[in-house]
Amino acid sequence: MSDAKTRIDETVKANDVVLYMKGTKSMPQCGFSSRVAGVLNYMGVEFTEVNVLADEDIRQGIKDYSDWPTIPQLYVKGEFVGGCDIITEMTLSGELDQLFDEKGVTYDKAAAEKIREANA
């Protein structure tokens, strides 16, 4: 398992935004992964996706790494942010925008506003 932890650690630290998900950003394979990838894609966030379905060690390893039981999992600048429910809440409250601003992650502010308007 230490090999998986090392690979996860390297990926999380080498990329500004990483989404561990089921499937890929262009073809998510679960609704929760699709929702988070959709938010990031719509907001124009450049992110690295890791398909946990392609590697069982990573699929279990990411849960151990974050001590979080579910997938997807979003990391920004090396820090675990949360899963689908947390990312949805943060998007709707504007907290995700604040996090991206604080961490220097480029995103489309107008798209973030449209998401909030559509869900108001």
Side-chain angles (χ1 to χ4, degrees), residues 11-12 14-21 25 36-50 74-78 96 100 103-109 111:
T11 301
V12 165
N15 299 281
D16 287 348
V17 181
V18 181
L19 181 62
Y20 284 83
M21 63 183 291
K25 59 175 117 179
V36 177
V39 164
L40 296 174
N41 284 327
Y42 189 77
M43 290 174 63
V45 176
E46 291 283 328
F47 69 99
T48 299
E49 90 263 38
V50 178
L74 181 66
Y75 291 79
V76 176
K77 299 280 185 161
L96 192 61
F100 288 156
K103 301 289 186 178
V105 173
T106 303
Y107 69 99
D108 183 339
K109 293 179 195 317

Side-chain angles (χ1 to χ4, degrees), residues 17-97:
V17 181
V18 181
L19 181 62
Y20 284 83
M21 63 183 291
K22 293 178 180 175
T24 63
K25 59 175 117 179
S26 60
M27 191 175 289
Q29 294 185 349
C30 93
F32 300 115
S33 292
S34 179
R35 180 179 296 170
V36 177
V39 164
L40 296 174
N41 284 327
Y42 189 77
M43 290 174 63
V45 176
E46 291 283 328
F47 69 99
T48 299
E49 90 263 38
V50 178
N51 180 1
V52 301
L53 299 177
D55 187 330
E56 185 58 40
D57 288 342
I58 296 296
R59 185 175 184 171
Q60 182 56 47
I62 193 61
K63 295 174 185 179
D64 297 336
Y65 183 83
S66 62
D67 197 25
W68 190 260
T70 60
I71 295 164
Q73 294 185 14
L74 181 66
Y75 291 79
V76 176
K77 299 280 185 161
E79 290 181 37
F80 175 59
V81 180
C84 183
D85 290 346
I86 290 171
I87 300 308
T88 300
E89 289 173 21
M90 289 179 73
T91 302
L92 296 178
S93 72
E95 288 177 83
L96 192 61
D97 302 39

